[in-house]
């Protein structure tokens, strides 16, 4: 249904307007995924101001649960978080 793109995504009853987010944003997308196709995940970046985009050479679950995840995802995420908060 792509609720975020259609302005229908709600958190605690309030609609989330991605274009109003003013903090650093990171969109992590899979290189291949049957659950969330890469183009669908990447589309989130079109609605956020100046996002950083990280493409991971894994699928949906492999991005966080594979043996390669610590090196391919977690380390990059930690580095991004450190840059974002300084």
């Amino acid at each position: 249904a792509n609720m975020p793109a259609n302005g229908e995504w709600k958190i605690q009853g309030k609609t989330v307007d991605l274009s109003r987010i003013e903090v650093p944003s990171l969109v992590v997308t899979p290189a291949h995924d049957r659950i969330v196709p890469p183009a669908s995940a990447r589309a989130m970046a079109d609605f956020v101001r100046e996002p950083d985009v990280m493409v991971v050479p894994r699928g949906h679950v492999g991005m966080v649960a594979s043996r390669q995840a610590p090196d391919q995802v977690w380390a990059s995420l930690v580095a991004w978080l450190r840059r974002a908060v300084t």
Side-chain angles (χ1 to χ4, degrees):
N2 203 356
M3 294 172 77
N6 293 324
E8 300 168 356
W9 191 18
K10 295 186 181 212
I11 296 176
Q12 292 185 340
K14 296 183 180 182
T15 302
V16 176
D17 182 350
L18 298 173
S19 68
R20 296 187 64 189
I21 296 173
E22 297 180 2
V23 296
S25 300
L26 175 65
V27 176
V28 181
T29 67
H32 50 86
D33 192 334
R34 292 186 192 129
I35 298 169
V36 180
S40 295
R42 174 66 177 86
M44 178 78 74
D46 295 337
F47 295 93
V48 179
R49 294 181 197 174
E50 302 180 33
D52 291 316
V53 177
M54 180 171 62
V55 179
V56 177
R58 302 272 123 220
H60 197 82
V61 175
M63 289 187 353
V64 293
S66 69
R67 280 188 271 168
Q68 296 84 6
D71 292 332
Q72 292 178 344
V73 184
W74 303 351
S76 296
L77 178 57
V78 169
W80 184 88
L81 287 167
R82 286 185 175 138
R83 286 191 308 273
V85 297
T86 57

